[in-house]
Amino acid sequence: MAAASWAAPTTSFAPAPAPGRLNASPLSLKILPRRVLLRAASESAMVCGETLLGLYEKERLDHSRYADEEADDDRYWEVLDADLRYWTRSLRPVQWYPGHIAKTEKELKEQLRLMDVVIEIRDARIPLSTSHPKMDSWLGNRKRIIVLNREDMISTEDRNAWATYFANQGTKVVFSNGQLGMGTMKLGRMAKSVASVVNTKRREKGLLPRPVRAGIVGYPNVGKSSLINRLLKRRMCPAAPRPGVTRELKWVRFGTDLELLDSPGILPMRISDQTAAIKLAICDDIGERSYDFADVAAILVQMLIRHPTVGSEAFRRRYKIDVNGDCGKMFVTKLSLQLFNGDASQAGFRILSDYRKGKFGWVALERPPT
């Protein structure tokens, strides 16, 4: 079998150990147990929804199918969405709903009545998956600005596609980079402009103008607090690159004419769309305890080796491992044997971290629906 003939390269690829995790050590060339690779192939077949006997033939056909579709980006995304549903159906559901979210949701709905405009922050890599399914019903007729944060993590083609999509919908959208402050000043001006009608009506009633109230809402770890800190040019809200740091609502003032409400990330109590849940896990927009690193990394590998601008060559260059004809689970197992003494969780974490750091290039995982 092809899997049994594989051998690790002689070049050492020493990874940087993740905080709080075991240090990686290269595996000797002479100990690559055949039974381990066979077991991985069997598990890969489960992830792919296929039997072991049909695994390699399906992969050969899949690679051929996607190669023909690379010239047609729209077709690529359409097929990928269908495959994601297929790949995730046998995995343990990804669910995460810590206790503070339920309290936040109740308080946020009460505060929404006081807001003149709502600024919804989404992850630019997955704008659809980071849109709360109840957001439209909560907002009603209130004005909304959508911010696609982390624009530095997507390609120009991705950005243009989403800009066109929201423009056609008549939705105001701002692309931002909360870490560097890009887009924050435009956001502040847009929020004041959108809500300017509030003080126009107050003046007509003989009332003094008041600051515009804008609520910042969105999923965990999409960059809400970082964006506010950049807008204010000082650290007013706690921020860290992990979900669940902000735990309570907090009003902060920007100048004399804009008040901002920072809120904890909110998620549905139950995520019914598991393709969206997997993308949240890949992009670190949901708690780590909700998913298995190896399973999610396997899905990511299968997505990226078919991506028109990534492909299997990016993995070969990065890890010195051949991915032709392999399912994601098999690749994770190979990486674990080469670098982590067979620890698939460590290997999965490494692949996810590399994607989040742009080691495969900056690419989105979603495109607008066609």
Side-chain angles (χ1 to χ4, degrees), residues 60-368:
R60 184 185 66 78
L61 293 174
D62 278 353
H63 279 286
S64 174
R65 175 162 60 99
Y66 276 90
D68 292 338
E69 290 164 355
E70 285 184 358
D72 186 351
D73 245 12
D74 291 340
R75 178 61 180 161
Y76 164 78
W77 292 105
E78 180 183 339
V79 172
L80 183 60
D81 285 343
D83 279 349
L84 270 175
R85 290 191 291 272
Y86 186 66
W87 295 335
T88 57
R89 66 181 185 176
S90 63
L91 299 182
R92 175 174 65 86
V94 175
Q95 302 291 348
W96 190 65
Y97 196 74
H100 72 274
I101 290 185
K103 177 184 176 184
T104 297
E105 185 176 310
K106 180 180 178 181
E107 294 176 347
L108 184 61
K109 285 189 285 188
E110 295 173 354
Q111 292 291 330
L112 280 173
R113 294 194 295 267
L114 304 175
M115 296 179 192
D116 305 311
V117 59
V118 173
I119 300 172
E120 183 185 1
I121 314 296
R122 301 186 189 181
D123 191 322
R125 296 168 294 179
I126 48 172
L128 299 180
S129 295
T130 46
S131 174
H132 198 292
K134 293 184 179 180
M135 188 61 68
D136 289 341
S137 62
W138 290 345
L139 298 186
N141 295 324
R142 288 178 181 79
K143 298 182 182 298
R144 170 165 57 176
I145 299 171
I146 292 178
V147 176
L148 297 187
N149 195 30
R150 298 175 180 145
E151 70 161 333
D152 55 312
M153 295 185 177
I154 62 175
S155 67
T156 302
E157 291 76 14
D158 295 326
R159 188 187 190 283
N160 292 341
W162 285 109
T164 301
Y165 172 75
F166 286 113
N168 291 339
Q169 287 192 329
T171 302
K172 294 185 180 297
V173 63
V174 176
F175 289 87
S176 72
N177 178 348
Q179 293 297 319
L180 300 179
M182 296 169 58
T184 54
M185 298 310 296
K186 179 181 179 180
L187 175 60
R189 291 193 301 268
M190 186 178 290
K192 296 174 187 177
S193 174
V194 168
S196 61
V197 67
V198 173
N199 283 322
T200 299
K201 291 181 178 180
R202 288 178 65 86
R203 281 191 290 268
E204 291 174 353
K205 297 177 181 179
L207 299 175
L208 293 174
R210 62 164 175 78
V212 170
R213 297 172 185 149
I216 310 289
V217 300
Y219 272 40
N221 203 34
V222 294
K224 299 181 296 298
S225 297
S226 295
L227 202 63
I228 292 177
N229 290 337
R230 280 292 180 178
L231 191 61
L232 300 176
K233 297 182 180 179
R234 60 186 185 276
R235 187 179 177 87
M236 292 293 293
C237 303
R242 64 180 186 275
V245 173
T246 304
R247 292 293 182 121
E248 58 184 16
L249 301 176
K250 180 179 182 180
W251 283 99
V252 293
R253 174 164 288 196
F254 176 55
T256 59
D257 49 3
L258 180 62
E259 291 178 347
L260 301 170
L261 176 66
D262 185 26
S263 63
I266 49 174
L267 284 166
M269 181 177 293
R270 182 172 181 80
I271 304 175
S272 57
D273 182 358
Q274 282 300 296
T275 65
I278 287 291
K279 294 173 190 175
L280 292 174
I282 291 172
C283 294
D284 200 20
D285 293 333
I286 196 169
E288 288 184 351
R289 294 183 179 182
S290 67
Y291 59 91
D292 180 87
F293 290 131
D295 285 345
V296 173
I299 297 293
L300 176 61
V301 171
Q302 291 172 188
M303 294 173 70
L304 293 184
I305 63 175
R306 293 159 169 81
H307 195 287
T309 63
V310 181
S312 59
E313 184 60 29
F315 286 85
R316 191 178 298 109
R317 288 194 305 266
R318 179 70 182 162
Y319 305 112
K320 308 300 187 293
I321 297 176
D322 188 6
V323 296
N324 286 341
D326 292 340
C327 265
K329 196 80 171 183
M330 174 66 81
F331 183 82
V332 172
T333 299
K334 286 182 177 182
L335 184 63
S336 73
L337 290 170
Q338 177 167 313
L339 298 179
F340 300 100
N341 292 328
D343 189 333
S345 181
Q346 287 276 26
F349 181 80
R350 176 60 178 270
I351 294 171
L352 293 173
S353 297
D354 283 349
Y355 168 75
R356 295 164 185 168
K357 295 174 183 176
K359 301 302 183 181
F360 308 115
W362 295 119
V363 292
L365 299 182
E366 289 179 344
R367 280 285 181 89

